[in-house]
Amino acid sequence: PNPFNPSTTIQFELNRFGPVSLSIYSINGRLVNKLINDTMHPGNYNSIWNGTNLRGNQVSSGIYIAVLQAEKSVKITRKLMLLK
């Protein structure tokens, strides 16, 4: 759901085997958290972001950007709104 509190599930599908990264950025472009950085097989996946940063601390309410990078040419972004 969007907005979310306290966590949200990011669903995605991969068509090919290859490197995948899923990162959360602040609206200013700063890296907040890296949820996935791995090589993955084709299929459907879910990744949960619990509103924390790289250190495990809760982030403040606001707008964040989820960036999914698969293969070298596929980049998908989604806006997430955390409301507390």
Side-chain angles (χ1 to χ4, degrees), residues 50-76:
N50 58 3
T52 58
N53 63 18
L54 289 166
R55 295 181 178 159
N57 299 320
Q58 288 290 317
V59 298
S60 60
S61 295
I63 297 173
Y64 296 88
I65 307 297
V67 178
L68 176 70
Q69 179 81 45
E71 305 168 28
K72 291 187 180 180
S73 59
V74 178
K75 189 175 200 177
I76 299 170

Side-chain angles (χ1 to χ4, degrees), residues 6-83:
S7 66
T8 189
T9 301
I10 301 165
Q11 301 175 341
F12 60 96
E13 180 180 357
L14 299 176
N15 295 323
R16 296 183 198 167
F17 176 81
V20 176
S21 70
L22 177 58
S23 302
I24 307 295
Y25 291 89
S26 69
I27 198 72
N28 307 359
R30 273 190 234 137
L31 178 65
V32 173
N33 206 331
K34 187 162 275 255
L35 304 178
I36 298 172
N37 189 24
D38 204 354
T39 302
M40 302 175 79
H41 291 277
N44 295 307
Y45 293 91
N46 293 318
S47 183
I48 297 173
W49 181 45
N50 58 3
T52 58
N53 63 18
L54 289 166
R55 295 181 178 159
N57 299 320
Q58 288 290 317
V59 298
S60 60
S61 295
I63 297 173
Y64 296 88
I65 307 297
V67 178
L68 176 70
Q69 179 81 45
E71 305 168 28
K72 291 187 180 180
S73 59
V74 178
K75 189 175 200 177
I76 299 170
T77 61
R78 294 287 182 262
K79 182 168 61 170
L80 306 173
M81 183 180 292
L82 172 60
L83 289 179

